[in-house]
Amino acid sequence: MDPADLGSYLSTRRARVRPADVGLPEGPRRRVPGLRRDEVARLAGTSVEYYTELEQGKATHPSPQVLAALARALRLDGDERDHLFHLAGLAPPSSGGSGHVQPAMLTLLDRLGTTPARVITDLDVTLAQNPMAEALLGDAGPRTWPAASFVYRWFTDPAARGLYPAEDHPRHSRESVADLRAAVARRGRDDEAEDLVERLHAASDEFAALWASGDVAVRRSVRKRIVHPTLGVLELDCQRLVSDDGRQRLLFFTAPPGSAAVGQLELLSVVGRQDLGTPSGA
């Protein structure tokens, strides 16, 4: 790894991204082309100090999670993302996996500024989300495997279920397992998917019983009730757009016309994440 080469590459990538490309205002006066360092740091979830050290060649051995976040923030395509990992001396993550958001998904996400939206994998790992989704659903990460998968947390961490009313839990459990079975079959002999199923069998009798039922169904658009600590229960339509290979999904939440959720979402856009303590999930 040559920290100087890595820093130079980050700098050139940052210079070519317009604020509008990532949902940021242009502003009347910008002294640098592209994004500022603090904007990249905020988009990637790192400190400004650490990102600055990376560009200056002072920080060494960034983690795969940091590199993946920077690739998303800088809107790198697959080849550029792989080059970033190579410069850091790391093997790139597999195509379509949990490390890189497909550019088309990011473009759509950027254009949903007033609608809660997030991109997840078919194993329910959150890859990116907008501020409205964070306000509604909570901070999605980063987390290490297997806890990065919300399906895993659903069956192993009782706190993960706080996002939904208790009476809705059995339905979510059934739908999660049926959707996971479809994803596993679609992936074929995939180490990540097989590892997740094996871990869930070992950790949860509920999961094992539901898996044994053999039910399979791909999750599509559905109405959900989401528990928010300040706004109460929001009844929203969860829409899903699926990538061509089926491995990534853009989720966005809308209020049924004329429902109480219309006003609740408007209020959410105002209060944002201020002292909300929102649980995380998908």
Side-chain angles (χ1 to χ4, degrees):
M1 171 185 174
D2 187 332
D5 287 344
L6 177 63
S8 176
Y9 184 65
L10 289 171
S11 179
T12 62
R13 299 306 89 188
R14 174 170 62 86
R16 69 172 192 167
V17 182
R18 298 177 304 164
D21 294 337
V22 293
L24 295 175
E26 293 281 356
R29 289 180 293 179
R30 300 184 69 89
R31 291 184 289 180
V32 296
L35 298 179
R36 298 190 298 263
R37 286 174 176 170
D38 65 294
E39 292 171 332
V40 176
R42 186 168 80 246
L43 291 168
T46 68
S47 70
V48 179
E49 293 77 11
Y50 181 69
Y51 179 75
T52 300
E53 290 179 352
L54 280 173
E55 274 205 9
Q56 293 175 344
K58 297 178 181 178
T60 60
H61 307 298
S63 69
Q65 292 80 12
V66 167
L67 293 174
L70 289 173
R72 293 192 293 270
L74 296 170
R75 299 306 191 255
L76 304 187
D77 62 25
D79 292 336
E80 293 169 328
R81 185 256 344 239
D82 290 354
H83 185 63
L84 177 66
F85 273 76
H86 288 143
L87 288 175
L90 297 174
S94 60
S95 176
S98 60
H100 188 62
V101 187
Q102 297 185 12
M105 290 290 186
L106 276 178
T107 299
L108 288 172
L109 184 66
D110 290 338
R111 282 158 175 73
L112 294 172
T114 60
T115 300
R118 64 171 29 165
V119 179
I120 67 171
T121 72
D122 55 348
L123 301 184
D124 225 335
V125 176
T126 298
L127 303 180
Q129 66 178 5
N130 64 13
M132 280 288 286
E134 184 176 357
L136 176 66
L137 305 170
D139 185 2
R143 292 182 174 90
T144 57
W145 183 260
S149 168
F150 185 66
V151 177
Y152 182 83
R153 301 199 304 279
W154 179 264
F155 288 102
T156 62
D157 180 5
R161 301 195 175 200
L163 189 63
Y164 301 113
E167 56 268 30
D168 295 351
H169 291 179
R171 175 174 67 88
H172 285 295
S173 293
R174 293 192 303 271
E175 291 177 352
S176 294
V177 174
D179 184 72
L180 178 61
R181 182 184 292 278
V184 170
R186 183 173 53 250
R187 286 186 173 220
R189 299 190 61 84
D190 179 87
D191 291 341
E192 188 177 40
E194 292 179 357
D195 177 68
L196 179 60
V197 173
E198 182 178 344
R199 288 174 183 267
L200 282 167
H201 269 101
S204 171
D205 292 338
E206 179 190 12
F207 174 85
L210 289 170
W211 188 266
S213 72
D215 291 345
V216 58
V218 176
R219 273 187 168 180
R220 295 183 173 87
S221 299
V222 65
R223 184 157 294 181
K224 290 186 176 184
R225 295 194 301 161
I226 296 174
V227 179
H228 192 279
T230 300
L231 303 179
V233 177
L234 291 80
E235 188 167 350
L236 301 171
D237 291 327
C238 178
Q239 312 288 343
R240 292 170 178 249
L241 299 177
V242 182
S243 63
D244 290 339
D245 62 5
R247 290 199 174 198
Q248 293 187 8
R249 305 162 182 186
L250 174 69
L251 311 183
F252 59 98
F253 298 83
T254 59
S259 69
V262 173
Q264 288 173 305
L265 281 185
E266 290 177 353
L267 182 57
L268 184 69
S269 68
V270 175
V271 300
R273 290 271 299 162
Q274 297 176 18
D275 301 323
L276 298 183
T278 315
S280 61

